[in-house]
Amino acid sequence: QAQLVESGGGSVQAGGSLSLSCQASRYFYCMGWFRQLPGLPREGVATSDSDGRTTYAESVKGRFSISKDNFGHSLHLQMDSLSPEDTAMYYCAADPYRSDGCNFGRNFPYWGQGTQVTVSS
């Protein structure tokens, strides 16, 4: 059973930065970050495939940067200029197959347990 373990969450003041990491137990072609607040739908933040293609939610473009280490089986999310609206539980998702697009609509079969990000004003 493949595993995804997130780390790097925490509390920061508005305007600050955090870096999230997701360590996978195996290779995945498509990986992404999603976030969710209690009672609200999960939303995509960013995705990356092994060919270097990335997607970002409009709300994080220019502030967040996703990177995928294909050899180390890990995914990272650098988050700058954080605002209270970024507060959420952040989840790592992964799909091993090279099919369709690596985007938010993909049916990711593997998910991590999540890491909390809290941004105070």
Side-chain angles (χ1 to χ4, degrees):
Q1 180 72 14
Q3 286 188 319
L4 301 172
V5 179
E6 301 99 336
S7 63
S11 297
V12 66
Q13 289 192 326
S17 298
L18 282 173
S19 182
L20 304 183
S21 293
C22 174
Q23 183 63 54
S25 59
R26 51 163 288 186
Y27 169 81
F28 291 99
Y29 175 75
C30 173
M31 298 182 73
W33 289 100
F34 291 74
R35 64 188 182 187
Q36 187 173 27
L37 283 169
L40 294 178
R42 185 167 51 202
E43 64 171 356
V45 176
T47 64
S48 177
D49 66 24
S50 295
D51 295 317
R53 290 179 289 245
T54 60
T55 60
Y56 292 92
E58 286 296 322
S59 60
V60 307
K61 280 183 179 179
R63 300 188 299 121
F64 291 11
S65 178
I66 190 171
S67 58
K68 186 176 184 292
D69 180 350
N70 294 327
F71 297 100
H73 305 336
S74 61
L75 186 73
H76 306 277
L77 185 69
Q78 177 64 37
M79 305 186 294
D80 298 322
S81 300
L82 285 162
S83 71
E85 288 69 36
D86 296 314
T87 294
M89 183 71 79
Y90 282 69
Y91 296 92
C92 177
D95 187 343
Y97 299 109
R98 186 174 183 169
S99 62
D100 301 325
C102 184
N103 52 47
F104 302 142
R106 192 173 185 126
N107 186 21
F108 289 91
Y110 298 101
W111 292 84
Q113 293 300 306
T115 184
Q116 178 67 37
V117 171
T118 302
V119 184
S120 59
S121 57

